[in-house]
Amino acid sequence: MRRAVCPGSFDPITNGHLDIIARASRLYDEVYVAVMINKSKKGLFEIEERIELIREVTADYANVRVEAFHGLLVDFCKQRDIPAIVKGLRAVSDFDYELQMAQMNIGLTGVETLFVPTNPTYSFLSSSLVKEVAAWGGDVSHLVPAPVLEALNKRLRKA
């Protein structure tokens, strides 16, 4: 069975993330979405909320699994016999950082990293940007799946 992982914080998941996950799901038998836990960062959504939203928006992909993980991504891969990490690249600046990570990961455990160019429609998109625009009342409906938009609106109205 060919397995891969799409890692990230997904706070929240965007249409750009979803595009990479969908493309990976066509290439691999099983795709894990690893919601990486960084205890030093306070996200807008709790880990459980992110997982639930990702499960909801990836429900049409029968081969996608969603799990949280704290620690090294290569350990997540090792525990699940995953030989490949799939990462979307938006710009050259992404490549500079991601190349270092890919080289470290292959050096640590032999896990390969595959870079997928982002759909040009989403080349500027990040979770941080979505949160900032939404917090100021901007329209992000074309940037996130409908369940995420609803969750964002509810969360930001509380704040």
Side-chain angles (χ1 to χ4, degrees):
M1 180 167 294
R2 295 170 305 150
R3 290 185 181 93
V5 62
C6 294
S9 58
F10 304 104
D11 186 35
I13 189 168
T14 68
N15 288 340
H17 292 131
L18 198 53
D19 177 60
I20 298 298
I21 293 165
R23 290 160 67 191
S25 77
R26 291 191 301 269
L27 299 171
Y28 291 92
D29 299 318
E30 199 167 45
V31 174
Y32 284 81
V33 176
V35 182
M36 305 305 285
I37 299 169
N38 183 344
K39 296 199 187 282
S40 66
K41 286 175 113 178
K42 175 67 176 135
L44 180 63
F45 294 100
E46 298 296 327
I47 297 298
E48 298 76 22
E49 292 173 302
R50 295 180 213 175
I51 289 171
E52 192 53 43
L53 284 169
I54 297 166
R55 284 183 178 150
E56 185 174 353
V57 301
T58 61
D60 290 341
Y61 307 108
N63 62 336
V64 171
R65 315 276 174 263
V66 184
E67 294 183 20
F69 190 73
H70 177 71
L72 294 174
L73 180 58
V74 291
D75 290 337
F76 180 92
C77 293
K78 197 166 145 186
Q79 291 168 8
R80 290 157 185 82
D81 194 28
I82 298 171
I85 299 165
V86 176
K87 301 286 295 206
L89 293 179
R90 296 170 293 191
V92 173
S93 56
D94 284 350
F95 180 75
D96 289 340
Y97 174 76
E98 294 297 346
L99 180 62
Q100 290 178 340
M101 296 299 295
Q103 291 169 331
M104 178 63 78
N105 290 337
I106 199 163
L108 287 172
T109 61
V111 173
E112 293 284 355
T113 301
L114 300 164
F115 297 123
V116 178
T118 301
N119 179 324
T121 304
Y122 308 121
S123 63
F124 66 92
L125 188 53
S126 70
S127 295
S128 299
L129 188 57
V130 165
K131 289 185 288 193
E132 185 173 346
V133 171
W136 288 102
D139 180 13
V140 295
S141 60
H142 60 294
L143 305 175
V144 296
V148 175
L149 181 63
E150 184 180 334
L152 262 173
N153 288 335
K154 281 182 187 174
R155 179 60 42 90
L156 293 173
R157 278 196 303 265
K158 279 186 188 177

